[in-house]
């Protein structure tokens, strides 16, 4: 049966333990659980870190929202009603009636803040939002400003409530991905079916998947047919038809029919496990803006505490005047000073951007990646498997003079028997797979493959590579055909060529057009022949290309094409890993991409659609614009109200708006990063 929503919620996931900086610059060990937990919540306990100037939102924390939200909302509404009634009635209370009328809701609304503030003071942490709010509100009570004290707590709780609502959408989009983790595998053992954990599955085991059940591990279908919902991996809502021989991903859902899947390995080696690991690690990668906020908040709050103290002490001594008046102004300064608008909304903006990308089938490894993507002015694509389908078909077999066509086919089968290259797979599909027993193979990335069998050496690859290995009589074809030509040799004999054709993805032209519309130049790098590269680059209207490149040449070729521009590279193969790691932004194709490429990349496109690159650029620009707006508004409003507070031009009511109101506006603005339609259509 398909898992219920409750079961999904109880299959949590949390980040691996790591050190990090809290939002206010205090280095702290984050509270994390060690890994995935089955059948129960795996949420890290605890909220903010020590010395933190504001509470933190953990994207992987499964918070008991349903249990606490209703109570919080009821307390908030009750406090607001008391405040409104009190302001309307005005002075119709005795002293004790007034204290009781405002004091009870003040304590109810402020209990969490006051309790946390007391714990902070006891542990020697004086500079955080809880001590600011608690101290300022108690000082207001001491001055007899009870409505203001209640308003502080009401608006603070209102800001917290909206913060949770704002982050909820992005958290749910990411957490829904984490909830795709399978919890059980039904392994066939003879006529029996045994339930085991997906982690216990080993390569070669046969797993039964019933209608509505999750496929626990990656593998190949042995028997049965069904429609499979692959949205958790590819982001595509349309189910695909799976038949015997089809590959399937762990974490996808079998919608109808039963399947028997032969596992390719345990759960930890599956695509969904790799995806989960990347999502969990994304929160660790802070953007430069987030690091600025961390450094800024580390000195900002103590500095304002000091300024408030000086405001209270120095003016009465130097200029005269009442101590009460300057004490009130110092309270206003403290109220204004809380940096919540900045240190909450900036990480929340990046979190929203990561969530928006995940909903589109794009995994972003942290806020720093979004910053880097927003600065990109050029994108270079690998050709095979990125701009093209990477699914080749043999379209021509041309033996050398005096060579039988069957000998050429047999030599190609042996040479490509153990290679994982797309060209090798197409040759095996066309000619059949040679028995790998006794074959010793080696591969030179970007050049070719060599196989030793029965004392003979078989080679397939570039013409120049065959010559380097002593093959004589290699005749390099001068053709304008876009097909890729594989040269085959046996010992020192040249046996002929095999033409293999690839198909340009229907999505590629749209991706290039969308990027160029944004003013981003597009280039192509490939190890393929120049004629093939020229054909594809012309069809897609690329700004430039380089062909016949070895892996180590691609880094230099990219520099030659883009110069000092900040460039992203999009690729999928092992030979793309160096460039994915060295480019300003590395983007890997996740469905067909190699493990090495995906690990080296900064972002992963799960469904291999090149147009997702343009969508990622749109999300990155939107996120950065929102973050910059929040920084400008937060700092500008704080500075304005700090000056007005010292001059005595505002009171506690205005200070409450400067703190909680600005924070609320910034949080609501940050929530836009997780939604909207300002991205190119897929």
């Amino acid at each position: 049966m398909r898992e219920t929503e409750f079961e999904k919620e109880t299959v949590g996931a949390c980040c691996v333990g790591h050190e990090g900086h809290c939002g206010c610059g205090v280095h702290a060990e984050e509270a994390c659980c060690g890994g995935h937990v089955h059948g129960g919540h795996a949420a890290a306990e605890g909220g903010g870190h020590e010395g933190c100037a504001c509470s933190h939102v953990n994207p992987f924390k499964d918070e008991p929202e349903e249990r606490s939200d209703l109570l919080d909302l009821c307390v908030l509404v009750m406090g607001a009603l008391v405040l409104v009634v009190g302001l309307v009635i005005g002075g119709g209370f005795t002293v004790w009636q007034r204290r009781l009328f405002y004091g009870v809701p003040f304590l109810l609304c402020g209990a969490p803040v006051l309790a946390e503030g007391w714990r902070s003071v006891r542990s020697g942490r004086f500079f955080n939002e809880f001590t600011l709010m608690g101290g300022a509100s108690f000082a207001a009570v001491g001055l007899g400003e009870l409505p203001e004290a209640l308003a502080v707590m009401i608006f603070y709780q209102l800001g917290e409530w909206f913060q949770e609502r704002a982050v909820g959408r992005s958290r749910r989009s990411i957490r829904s991905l984490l909830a795709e983790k399978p919890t059980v595998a039904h392994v066939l053992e003879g006529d029996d079916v045994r339930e085991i954990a997906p982690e216990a599955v080993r390569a070669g085991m046969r797993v039964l998947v019933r209608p509505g059940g999750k496929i626990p591990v990656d593998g190949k279908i042995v028997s049965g047919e069904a429609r499979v919902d692959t949205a958790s991996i590819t982001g595509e809502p349309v189910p695909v038809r799976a038949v015997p021989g089809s590959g399937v991903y762990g974490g996808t859902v079998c919608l109808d029919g039963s399947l028997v899947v032969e596992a390719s390995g345990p759960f930890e080696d599956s695509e969904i496990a790799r995806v989960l690991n990347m999502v969990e690690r994304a929160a660790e990668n802070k953007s430069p803006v987030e690091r600025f906020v961390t450094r800024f908040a580390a000195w900002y709050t103590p500095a304002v505490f000091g300024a408030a103290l000086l405001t209270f002490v120095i003016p009465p001594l130097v200029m005269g005047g009442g101590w009460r008046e300057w004490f009130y102004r110092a309270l206003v300064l403290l109220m204004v000073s809380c940096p919540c608008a900045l240190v909450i909304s900036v990480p929340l903006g990046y979190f929203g951007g990561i969530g928006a990308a995940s909903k589109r089938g794009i995994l972003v490894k942290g806020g720093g990646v979004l910053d880097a993507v927003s600065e990109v002015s050029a994108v270079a694509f690998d050709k095979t498997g990125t701009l093209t389908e990477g699914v080749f078909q043999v379209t021509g077999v041309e033996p050398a003079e005096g060579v039988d066509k069957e000998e050429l086919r047999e030599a190609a089968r042996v040479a490509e028997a153990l290679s994982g290259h797309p060209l090798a797979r197409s040759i095996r599909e066309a000619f059949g797979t040679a028995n790998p027993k006794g074959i010793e193979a080696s591969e030179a990335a970007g050049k070719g493959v060599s196989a030793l069998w029965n004392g003979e050496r078989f080679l397939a690859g570039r013409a120049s590579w065959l010559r380097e290995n002593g093959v004589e009589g290699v005749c390099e074809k001068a053709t304008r055909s876009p097909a890729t030509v594989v040269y085959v040799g046996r010992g020192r004999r040249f046996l002929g060529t095999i033409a293999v054709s690839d198909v340009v993805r229907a999505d590629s032209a749209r991706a290039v057009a969308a990027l160029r519309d944004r003013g981003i130049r597009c280039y192509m790098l490939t190890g393929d022949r120049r004629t093939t590269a020229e054909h594809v680059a012309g069809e897609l209207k690329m700004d430039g290309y380089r062909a016949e490149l070895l892996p180590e040449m691609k880094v230099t070729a990219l520099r030659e094409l883009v110069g000092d521009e900040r460039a992203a590279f999009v690729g999928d193969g092992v030979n793309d890993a160096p460039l994915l790691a060295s480019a300003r932004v590395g983007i890997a194709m996740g469905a067909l991409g190699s493990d090495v490429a995906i690990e080296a990349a900064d972002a992963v496109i799960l469904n291999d659609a090149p147009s997702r690159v343009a969508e990622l650029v749109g999300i990155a620009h939107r996120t950065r614009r929102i973050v910059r707006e929040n920084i400008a508004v937060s700092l500008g409003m704080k500075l304005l109200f700090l000056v007005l507070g010292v001059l005595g031009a505002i009171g506690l009511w205005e200070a409450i708006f400067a703190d909680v109101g600005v924070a609320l506006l910034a949080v609501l603005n940050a929530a836009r990063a997780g939604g909207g339609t300002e991205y190119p259509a897929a």
Side-chain angles (χ1 to χ4, degrees), residues 85-244:
V85 171
L87 293 175
V88 171
I89 294 175
F93 295 109
T94 66
V95 174
W96 282 104
Q97 285 175 339
R98 190 169 185 268
R99 290 176 180 174
L100 186 63
F101 184 78
Y102 288 111
V104 172
F106 166 76
L107 292 174
L108 288 175
C109 292
V113 178
L114 298 176
E116 188 60 39
W118 175 244
R119 283 193 290 269
S120 298
V121 171
R122 290 183 61 186
S123 59
R125 295 180 285 115
F126 299 103
F127 303 115
N128 58 50
E129 71 169 345
F130 305 109
T131 54
L132 272 174
M133 292 291 179
S137 60
F138 272 124
V141 171
L143 291 174
E145 305 290 349
L146 292 173
E148 286 89 339
L150 176 57
V152 168
M153 293 305 178
I154 289 175
F155 285 107
Y156 171 78
Q157 296 285 37
L158 182 65
E160 289 291 295
W161 192 85
F162 272 104
Q163 175 189 321
E164 288 304 311
R165 303 290 71 69
V167 76
R169 177 172 51 186
S170 296
R171 178 194 282 130
R172 284 192 296 272
S173 68
I174 294 178
R175 200 166 62 193
S176 65
L177 177 63
L178 302 180
E180 298 298 335
K181 184 172 186 264
T183 59
V184 66
H186 299 94
V187 177
L188 295 174
E189 294 181 345
D191 295 330
D192 297 327
V193 178
R194 184 165 63 96
E195 289 189 3
I196 63 174
E199 288 83 356
V201 176
R202 294 292 174 262
M205 285 185 175
R206 296 197 170 188
V207 179
L208 174 65
V209 184
R210 299 186 176 95
K214 282 185 182 174
I215 300 172
V217 292
D218 290 1
K220 182 174 290 187
I221 296 176
V222 176
S223 63
E225 295 186 14
R227 289 182 307 123
V228 177
D229 180 359
T230 62
S232 61
I233 296 294
T234 65
E236 293 296 333
V238 181
V240 298
R241 192 73 187 170
V243 298

Side-chain angles (χ1 to χ4, degrees), residues 431-592:
F431 304 149
T433 302
N435 187 345
K437 186 177 181 180
I439 296 178
E440 297 178 10
S442 61
E443 188 164 346
K447 296 181 178 181
V449 293
S450 172
L452 187 64
W453 185 59
N454 288 341
E456 283 192 283
R457 188 170 58 155
F458 297 80
L459 302 103
R462 294 172 179 264
S464 58
W465 190 69
L466 264 68
R467 293 193 199 98
E468 290 174 13
N469 284 272
V471 178
E472 299 172 351
V474 178
C475 180
E476 193 159 358
K477 294 174 68 67
T479 175
R480 301 296 296 175
S481 168
T484 299
V485 178
V486 178
Y487 295 80
V488 182
R490 181 174 184 174
R492 291 184 174 276
R493 293 174 57 219
F494 173 58
L495 300 184
T497 60
I498 298 172
V500 184
S501 297
D502 195 2
V503 179
V504 175
R505 294 182 188 272
D507 192 58
S508 296
R510 180 166 46 181
V512 174
L515 288 169
R516 295 187 70 185
D517 285 345
R518 286 185 170 272
I520 297 175
R521 281 171 288 282
C522 297
Y523 302 97
M524 185 180 73
L525 303 176
T526 180
D528 213 337
R529 294 183 310 128
R530 186 172 300 279
T531 52
T532 304
E534 183 180 3
H535 174 81
V536 174
E539 181 179 342
L540 298 179
K541 297 181 173 60
M542 289 284 182
D543 292 288
Y545 71 92
R546 292 288 186 273
E548 300 178 358
L549 299 173
L550 298 177
E552 61 270 19
M553 298 165 61
K554 286 187 176 182
V555 175
T556 303
L558 180 61
R559 291 199 192 103
E560 291 174 353
L561 282 171
V562 304
D564 295 330
E565 291 183 274
R566 295 183 174 181
F569 177 74
V570 187
D572 71 311
V574 174
N575 59 343
D576 296 325
L579 195 47
L580 286 168
S582 62
R584 173 67 174 167
V585 181
I587 304 171
M589 294 296 195
L592 294 178

